[in-house]
Amino acid sequence: MISARAYAAATAKSPLAPFELSRRDPGPRDVLIDISYCGICHSDLHCARDEWGGQPFPCVPGHEIAGVVSAVGSAVTKFKVGDRVGVGCMVDSCGECAACTAGLEQHCERGATWTYGGSNFYRPHDPGTGHTFGGYSTAITVVENFVVRIPDALPLDAAAPMLCAGITTYSPLKRFGAGPGKRVGVVGLGGLGHMAVKIAHAMGAHVTVITTSPNKAGPARELGADAVLVSSDRAAMKAAGSSLDLIVDTVSAVHDMDLYMGLLGLEGALVLVGLPPEKLEVSAFTLTGARRIFTGSNIGGIAETQEMLDFCAAHGVQAEIEKIPAQQINEAYERLLKGDVKYRFVIDSATLRT
């Protein structure tokens, strides 16, 4: 066993605090990673406070992991000691179902093993409580097929959030053909939204940011947006009706779906990547009137995640981050609730070792 230092929530009502855990020694197909950085996703906050229900405790969040390989198993062929690598939202799947064989491991029919809070185990796993512990820690052991290579052109700290925020937005942009001649809208300009803007711009699309905050117009354009719509300006929203081909909706709160769907032209698609806890409503006439599509997307498969990293490295795209010591995680959570971050907190894992 390998001892690791971490930060964990003991209960849904507890602040995160120092925690000791054990990682498994690398098996034949395992990669042991010294974690350098871990991004803070809004999902981490939801889980640490059990806002979605069913979260096992103690909870060590973190699924935006970047680090360096420190050991490999005897049968590992993809990585060697010293490689720069990342781990995203999942660390295993059955590998046999239709979804897994199609490269959509996140939709494994038997259930993917999530990086933290996961209990669907298909191979040997870390000793402990019966569920996985995430990346707010100094080390992690992961089967090699769920590790991705971080290109040298991407700094490890800025690459960490891309293991969730990057792939979550890249996947629907690619799926719906964002590129030259395509008009793409991005709802929200937070951790997910800023990556959607950067990636869509790099793909060559015309990008419009749709926000509730007029003061985000300048930052949106700095990130690569061509236009900004303020959703509270109903006249502007009406004038922009049927002007977009694709909308990536990153908002994790209830909002007027018909208002945003109305921005889509014929056979346009709105892809939900935010995770509002409440149900969303959309009028049937909004959908049928122009054959519009209302759909969702959940991260991406391992091969697509690697593709995203390679694309971003080639196009100079990386996350905008604020690095923090582990001792400021609880403060970062409170700031995250207020939207007080541009655009992703990243934990410096070296601070866990002091």
Side-chain angles (χ1 to χ4, degrees):
M1 294 189 300
I2 297 156
S3 295
R5 294 182 179 180
Y7 259 61
T11 72
K13 302 296 183 182
S14 305
L16 277 79
F19 182 71
E20 298 284 334
L21 58 84
S22 296
R23 300 297 193 186
R24 68 183 183 274
D25 293 314
R29 291 287 182 185
D30 283 336
V31 175
L32 175 62
I33 301 166
D34 280 342
I35 299 175
S36 302
Y37 301 99
C38 185
I40 294 180
C41 177
H42 209 287
S43 299
D44 298 347
L45 188 154
H46 286 308
C47 291
R49 298 180 177 181
D50 199 23
E51 292 175 350
W52 291 333
Q55 177 65 40
F57 288 90
C59 172
V60 177
H63 57 210
E64 298 180 340
I65 301 166
V68 177
V69 175
S70 59
V72 297
S74 59
V76 169
T77 60
K78 299 179 181 179
F79 303 98
K80 65 182 186 304
V81 172
D83 283 350
R84 305 165 79 250
V85 296
V87 176
C89 299
M90 53 188 167
V91 291
D92 206 356
S93 70
C94 79
E96 299 172 350
C97 69
C100 287
T101 55
L104 298 169
E105 298 94 343
Q106 74 274 30
H107 300 298
C108 175
E109 294 170 12
R110 293 171 61 190
T113 307
W114 303 116
T115 303
Y116 64 89
S119 58
N120 291 336
F121 295 114
Y122 303 99
R123 276 158 275 274
H125 55 278
D126 295 342
T129 63
H131 62 269
T132 53
F133 292 135
Y136 293 9
S137 56
T138 53
I140 191 168
T141 306
V142 181
V143 64
E144 69 170 328
N145 287 345
F146 284 79
V147 179
V148 291
R149 188 178 305 278
I150 295 178
D152 291 340
L154 294 176
L156 285 179
D157 53 2
M162 297 166 71
L163 277 302
C164 175
I167 184 57
T168 294
T169 52
Y170 177 89
S171 185
L173 287 168
K174 177 192 172 189
R175 176 184 168 195
F176 286 95
K182 288 286 188 177
R183 303 163 300 170
V184 175
V186 176
V187 183
L189 197 65
L192 290 173
H194 95 285
M195 287 304 306
V197 171
K198 285 192 165 195
I199 293 170
H201 175 75
M203 289 176 168
H206 182 280
V207 183
T208 298
V209 167
I210 306 137
T211 176
T212 60
S213 304
N215 61 3
K216 289 190 176 180
R221 293 182 185 277
E222 291 173 4
L223 291 167
D226 299 286
V228 177
L229 270 174
V230 178
S231 58
S232 58
D233 185 341
R234 294 308 167 99
M237 292 289 283
K238 183 177 180 180
S242 302
S243 67
L244 301 176
D245 303 304
L246 170 65
I247 296 174
V248 177
D249 185 346
T250 71
V251 175
S252 290
V254 170
H255 47 296
D256 184 350
M257 300 312 303
D258 289 323
L259 178 67
Y260 296 96
M261 292 289 292
L263 297 172
L264 293 169
L266 182 65
E267 297 186 334
L270 186 149
V271 186
L272 187 67
V273 296
L275 297 172
E278 300 89 358
K279 291 183 179 180
L280 299 174
E281 295 183 355
V282 60
S283 165
F285 294 101
T286 298
L287 297 176
T288 59
R291 291 177 47 147
R292 297 183 178 105
I293 300 165
F294 181 32
T295 186
S297 186
N298 183 29
I299 56 172
I302 298 301
E304 190 174 45
T305 302
Q306 185 66 64
E307 178 185 300
M308 175 274 302
L309 289 169
D310 294 340
F311 173 89
C312 289
H315 291 82
V317 174
Q318 61 189 49
E320 302 291 325
I321 65 169
E322 180 180 336
K323 266 190 294 193
I324 62 165
Q327 294 76 15
Q328 291 180 9
I329 290 173
N330 292 301
E331 177 186 337
Y333 274 21
E334 295 307 313
R335 288 181 56 194
L336 184 61
L337 283 172
K338 299 173 184 176
D340 180 23
V341 56
K342 288 187 176 180
Y343 286 90
R344 204 64 148 186
F345 287 117
V346 172
I347 302 164
D348 182 349
S349 303
T351 61
L352 287 163
R353 299 179 173 92
T354 57

